[in-house]
Amino acid sequence: VDITKYLIDTSELIEEHLNRLVPEKEVPYRSLLRAARYALLGGGKRLRPILTIATTEAFKGCLDAAIAPACALEMIHTYSLIHDDLPCMDNDDFRRGKPSLHKAFPEGHAVLAGDFLLTHAFAVLAEAPGLSAEQKVSLVTILGKSAGGEGMIAGQILDIEAVGTEVDLDALQLIHQKKTGEMIVASVEFGGIISHATYEQMEILRKFGQEIGLAFQIVDDILDVTASQEKHGKAVASDVINDKSTYVTLLGLQKSQALAEKLFQSAIKRLDQLPINGALLTNLARLFVNRTH
Ligand code: IPE
Ligand code: IPE
Ligand code: MG
Ligand code: MG
Ligand code: MG
């Protein structure tokens, strides 16, 4: 597989559908739509929706049916970034190559655009074409749990509570698994549900997702230290400025990179247990660990 072309084509497909799912409208509340579109469109690597589509492709599931669920994931992810950047959270002014939403719009608009994308994601899922009612209930359940109070939000609360404290590696792993890992697990689970994967196959997919999800956030910690804002498209040195414990502060750069690599190796081995051609997911997982932004 030509992974570069695959990424470009698939992210274009996602972009086109996101644009349709959050359209401009000449309504009295059009500023809400404009704010949501500012954050959602024209930026972002789209790795979670791409993971859903690639997993569906690997299982030879229906690709058309994967698009709306993939967009729902990206809406939740974008909302999480909008709120993550707010002054009361990480207080970061730069995101996806431009000023953060609360810098381009009033702060209240940023909060509400996040709320909008969060709720809209579930409406999009419920209305997703080409899926059975049972499949849609499974997707709603997975997303509600992984984005919710036992998942991403739990991770975010632990993350802000840990500011300025000494966190050990186990505690940091839990934060990373929850704030970032859970949404990545959900992305592969989505592909499994859309393709009618078996219970055993879902278990394997979840483990694959957990490992690449943790590796992804370890690399995020690394890039916060090593990347430039220009290249990264978002504020860098945010963790240092906010006095956060990260894999880099606990293990150093080299050991963190080595751990991400180890997680990658373990993750791709799991793909051998699935009745799929693992090349596409292996290439994507590689990107999670070797990315430079
Ligand atoms: C950033 O995610 C936030 C984390 C969970 C680490 P991405 O690195 O996927 O950000 P975008 O979507 O490409 O902007
Ligand atoms: C964010 O982790 C995880 C989210 C749920 C948004 P970070 O705070 O490290 O993400 P960045 O570095 O701002 O993208
Ligand atoms: Mg954060
Ligand atoms: Mg942040
Ligand atoms: Mg970060």
Side-chain angles (χ1 to χ4, degrees):
V1 271
D2 180 352
I3 188 72
T4 311
K5 185 175 180 340
Y6 184 82
L7 293 174
I8 293 169
D9 291 351
T10 311
S11 53
E12 272 176 17
L13 183 74
I14 307 281
E15 186 79 17
E16 190 187 305
H17 281 264
L18 288 172
N19 185 44
R20 257 187 267 166
L21 289 166
V22 185
E24 257 173 315
K25 282 189 213 159
E26 283 311 310
V27 289
Y29 49 87
R30 58 184 169 274
S31 58
L32 176 65
L33 299 170
R34 280 184 44 233
R37 286 170 61 85
Y38 175 91
L40 186 65
L41 304 177
K45 298 179 289 295
R46 313 301 192 199
L47 290 177
R48 293 154 193 79
I50 289 170
L51 201 48
T52 295
I53 290 171
T55 305
T56 306
E57 188 152 325
F59 276 92
K60 299 190 162 55
C62 176
L63 289 177
D64 285 344
I67 295 171
C71 289
L73 282 164
E74 186 66 18
M75 286 177 198
I76 297 274
H77 170 60
T78 302
Y79 124 73
S80 81
L81 300 179
I82 295 169
H83 285 190
D84 182 73
D85 287 338
L86 288 171
C88 59
M89 299 278 293
D90 292 348
N91 192 24
D92 284 321
D93 294 349
F94 202 68
R95 173 69 68 181
R96 292 180 162 177
K98 54 192 183 186
S100 303
L101 186 58
H102 67 271
K103 283 284 155 179
F105 286 79
E107 195 176 328
H109 284 60
V111 172
L112 292 170
D115 295 340
F116 165 45
L117 290 172
L118 160 59
T119 45
H120 194 43
F122 286 94
V124 166
L125 263 191
E127 291 187 328
L131 297 167
S132 69
E134 283 81 5
Q135 281 176 305
K136 289 193 278 191
V137 169
S138 296
L139 296 178
V140 166
T141 306
I142 288 167
L143 191 60
K145 286 185 178 169
S146 58
E150 304 274 343
M152 188 257 289
I153 297 300
Q156 289 288 69
I157 256 295
L158 291 171
D159 181 281
I160 60 171
E161 284 180 355
V163 166
T165 70
E166 268 295 311
V167 171
D168 67 23
L169 208 50
D170 283 346
L172 187 65
Q173 182 178 320
L174 183 69
I175 293 172
H176 282 23
Q177 280 168 336
K178 288 196 174 293
K179 78 173 182 177
T180 299
E182 290 266 354
M183 284 293 293
I184 288 171
V185 175
S187 306
V188 289
E189 285 186 283
F190 266 33
I193 295 293
I194 293 158
S195 328
H196 303 278
T198 66
Y199 181 84
E200 288 75 19
Q201 291 165 354
M202 290 297 289
E203 276 295 313
I204 296 163
L205 281 176
R206 270 191 285 275
K207 287 184 182 141
F208 169 78
Q210 282 163 6
E211 286 169 335
I212 63 168
L214 179 56
F216 186 84
Q217 184 59 46
I218 293 173
V219 172
D220 185 81
D221 288 355
I222 293 172
L223 292 173
D224 191 73
V225 176
T226 60
S228 66
Q229 173 168 303
E230 210 176 22
K231 201 150 191 222
H232 209 14
K234 68 181 184 187
V236 294
S238 168
D239 298 329
V240 187
I241 291 165
N242 286 324
D243 197 13
K244 292 204 190 187
S245 292
T246 67
Y247 273 77
V248 178
T249 64
L250 293 192
L251 290 182
L253 282 172
Q254 272 189 347
K255 279 189 186 163
S256 299
Q257 195 68 55
L259 179 56
E261 178 64 28
K262 196 177 127 201
L263 287 161
F264 161 78
Q265 292 296 343
S266 172
I268 60 166
K269 266 202 206 87
R270 298 189 188 276
L271 299 174
D272 296 342
Q273 297 171 261
L274 294 170
I276 61 169
N277 177 343
L280 180 57
L281 289 176
T282 299
N283 276 317
L284 262 184
R286 177 40 83 199
L287 193 79
F288 274 45
V289 176
N290 284 10
R291 69 201 168 97
T292 53
H293 70 281

